[in-house]
Amino acid sequence: MGNSFRIGRIFGIDIEIHPSWLLILGFVAWSLSEGFFPDTYEHWSRVAYWAVGISSALLLFVTVLIHELAHALVARRRGLPVPRITLFIFGGMSHMSRQPATAGEEFQIAAAGPAMSILIAMVTGALGLLVRDSNEKAEAILFYLAFVNVALGVFNILPGFPLDGGRVLRSIAWKRTGSFRRATRIAAGVGEIFGYGLIALGFVLLLSGGVLDGIWLAFIGWFLLGAARGETAGMQLEGVLRRLVARQVMRAEFPSVTPGTPLQQIVDDFMVGHGERAVMVANDGTVAGIVTVSDVRRVPREEWLNTPAQRVMTARPDIVTVEGSTPALQVLTMLGEKGLNQVPVLENGRMVGIITRRELLDRIQLAERLAPKDGPPPPEPELSGDRPQPS
Ligand SMILES: [Zn+2]
């Protein structure tokens, strides 16, 4: 998600926060300190309400993070890496590097989160009972966490994408129909109905006086609606890309210079001249490295004339490459994950072409425009209920 910033790393997973998260954190702390706790516990000082309110809001987000970590760790144990988790206005989101490969895998990953929330609720509830009568403030925090984690667990098993319940529903439909695409369509359809339902309910609440709750509910419904549609679109994109391999989306003609070529010439002839973002450095036909726009930018302009390509290039051993037979979807994922703009394509160790992110996205758009919108879906290469894994 754009604008997110990293706050740390747990179990090798980057934890990021989106600015919208700070907004909701402040809102939760405020509503607890000025509303919920004063209503529930009398005779505390204003400072105490706020101290307990802020602690509760922070701990709530710790439990949301634990919920996400439950998804991420189960996913990782099944060989599906999760590079990062983002906390944002609606809670948390684990970024999986690919879709689950089997219905069983999806079910386990999706169910782990709500199960963890319920577990947290039981533990904090039990601890709350323990400190009851001895420490009212700790009791207040623990009971609040128990209550809100039950709510989180229950809300998350509602069958709307991208809630865990939507994924559980898809895994069940997947198991029954044996088709990931059909299952996604079913789950996304239910998710859309669900999104509309929440929006309608939000308006009813709004008209009957619950303005804030109503707006909030409608907002969540609108978010679920968008997510359900996004899931369908993402699947269509995957369908297009799954049929293509690197060889088909690469450009076979790519600019190449000798190791001694000065940067000034590369900039003039290729980057400014032809809009290239990367140039291969080759020696007698074998690739020695790659020079990108960002490599050039690191050198002061007045030194471009005297700096040869080989001094700033990324050398061959460090270049990320793909094989001609690599699925296009995997190439796109990789470009995104590694933050690359281009990747050379190798065949039998020889460089045969280059894939740039911009050109790949153009091809996808074209393929989408050419694909029939309402016709029957293309035949699926899946019979057993297992999706071929891009490996
Ligand atoms: Zn979850």
Side-chain angles (χ1 to χ4, degrees):
M1 230 178 296
N3 300 326
S4 299
F5 51 93
R6 217 187 89 162
I7 55 159
R9 213 171 151 81
I10 302 176
F11 301 124
I13 300 164
D14 283 334
I15 311 297
E16 289 181 348
I17 284 179
H18 187 260
S20 65
W21 177 85
L22 298 171
L23 202 74
I24 195 68
L25 182 74
F27 177 73
V28 170
W30 170 77
S31 67
L32 286 176
S33 313
E34 292 289 322
F36 181 74
F37 287 133
D39 290 347
T40 321
Y41 299 91
E42 290 163 20
H43 318 303
W44 292 2
S45 67
R46 189 104 194 267
V47 175
Y49 286 130
W50 273 94
V52 171
I54 291 170
S55 313
S56 302
L58 283 172
L59 284 170
L60 162 63
F61 283 97
V62 170
T63 63
V64 168
L65 182 59
I66 297 173
H67 170 116
E68 288 307 318
L69 282 171
H71 288 304
L73 293 182
V74 171
R76 196 160 67 176
R77 213 186 49 207
R78 314 237 9 175
L80 202 163
V82 178
R84 63 186 191 281
I85 289 174
T86 309
L87 293 176
F88 71 123
I89 191 161
F90 292 114
M93 192 192 279
S94 301
H95 303 265
M96 314 257 168
S97 47
R98 61 168 168 83
Q99 298 267 23
T102 65
E105 190 173 295
E106 169 142 68
F107 181 85
Q108 286 190 10
I109 296 168
M116 180 55 88
S117 291
I118 298 298
L119 185 70
I120 293 170
M122 292 192 322
V123 171
T124 50
L127 288 174
L129 285 175
L130 267 178
V131 300
R132 199 173 194 173
D133 305 326
S134 64
N135 188 337
E136 205 179 37
K137 314 254 164 20
E139 175 206 310
I141 295 175
L142 287 164
F143 279 156
Y144 167 73
L145 288 176
F147 163 76
V148 83
N149 272 284
V150 169
L152 266 177
V154 171
F155 177 70
N156 265 297
I157 49 177
L158 297 177
F161 267 125
L163 297 179
D164 302 330
R167 306 201 179 280
V168 168
L169 177 66
R170 175 166 70 183
S171 72
I172 294 168
W174 186 359
K175 187 92 190 161
R176 294 192 67 131
T177 62
S179 158
F180 178 77
R181 293 170 71 84
R182 223 182 306 160
T184 301
R185 214 162 286 136
I186 292 168
V190 173
E192 271 197 43
I193 294 170
F194 201 71
Y196 280 123
L198 280 183
I199 292 173
L201 199 64
F203 273 107
V204 171
L205 261 177
L206 196 98
L207 294 177
S208 58
V211 177
L212 213 56
D213 288 340
I215 292 175
W216 184 239
L217 213 57
F219 193 38
I220 293 178
W222 169 78
F223 172 73
L224 291 184
L225 197 63
R229 290 185 177 153
E231 196 71 29
T232 317
M235 185 191 64
Q236 277 161 357
L237 172 67
E238 246 194 274
V240 169
L241 281 182
R242 203 179 332 150
R243 287 191 293 267
L244 298 172
V245 295
R247 197 180 298 120
Q248 292 165 297
V249 293
M250 74 183 187
R251 175 152 49 106
E253 281 143 33
F254 44 89
S256 128
V257 296
T258 58
T261 312
L263 291 189
Q264 187 67 57
Q265 194 182 330
I266 295 176
V267 169
D268 292 347
D269 291 357
F270 299 105
M271 291 176 172
V272 176
H274 286 91
E276 300 286 357
R277 298 192 58 88
V279 175
M280 286 300 141
V281 181
N283 219 350
D284 297 329
T286 45
V287 177
I290 184 170
V291 174
T292 66
V293 170
S294 37
D295 293 329
V296 174
R297 266 210 215 111
R298 257 178 303 213
V299 180
R301 189 176 290 258
E302 57 273 16
E303 286 167 32
W304 286 358
L305 210 52
N306 300 318
T307 309
Q310 62 184 349
R311 202 181 303 157
V312 299
M313 71 183 185
T314 305
R316 174 68 187 271
D318 301 324
I319 304 179
V320 180
T321 60
V322 295
E323 291 289 318
S325 57
T326 308
L329 182 63
Q330 203 180 326
V331 176
L332 185 67
T333 313
M334 206 193 68
L335 289 174
E337 263 172 21
K338 304 213 156 129
L340 296 170
N341 281 311
Q342 67 283 311
V343 62
V345 183
L346 300 185
E347 245 162 38
N348 302 320
R350 281 193 63 83
M351 183 169 160
V352 292
I354 190 163
I355 297 177
T356 67
R357 191 208 290 254
R358 202 191 316 157
E359 283 166 351
L360 184 55
L361 292 176
D362 283 348
R363 301 258 176 135
I364 292 165
Q365 266 183 6
L366 182 65
E368 274 181 325
R369 229 174 293 146
L370 292 172
K373 273 228 165 62
D374 299 304
E380 298 176 47
E382 50 188 323
L383 295 167
S384 62
D386 287 5
R387 297 172 69 226
Q389 288 190 33
S391 63

